[in-house]
Amino acid sequence: MFNPSFGVKVLLVVICALASIIVATGAGILTYATGASPAEAVLAAGGAFAVFMTLGLTTLAMLGLV
C-alpha cells in the first residue's frame, strides 16, 4: 500500500487549495458578469472555494493520501 511522506501530503493539500482558488475565481467572475454586486461575487467565490476544497480533501482522505 502506498503511504505518502509528509512532504507529499503537504503538496497534495497545496494542489487542492490551488485548484480551489481557480474554481473560486471562475465562480466570482461569472457571478459578477451576471450583474451581481462585487460583495455578492466575493461571497459566491468564497462558497465555491469552501465546497471545492472540502470535496478535494474528502476525496484525498478517502483515497488514503492525506
Side-chain angles (χ1 to χ4, degrees):
M1 188 70 175
F2 179 68
N3 190 10
S5 66
F6 178 73
V8 172
K9 290 180 181 183
V10 169
L11 287 176
L12 287 171
V13 172
V14 168
I15 290 169
C16 187
L18 291 175
S20 298
I21 289 171
I22 292 169
V23 169
T25 302
I29 290 170
L30 289 174
T31 303
Y32 185 71
T34 62
S37 70
E40 291 172 334
V42 169
L43 286 173
F49 177 85
V51 168
F52 198 82
M53 187 71 173
T54 302
L55 179 66
L57 290 178
T58 303
T59 302
L60 290 174
M62 293 304 292
L63 292 174
L65 298 175
V66 176

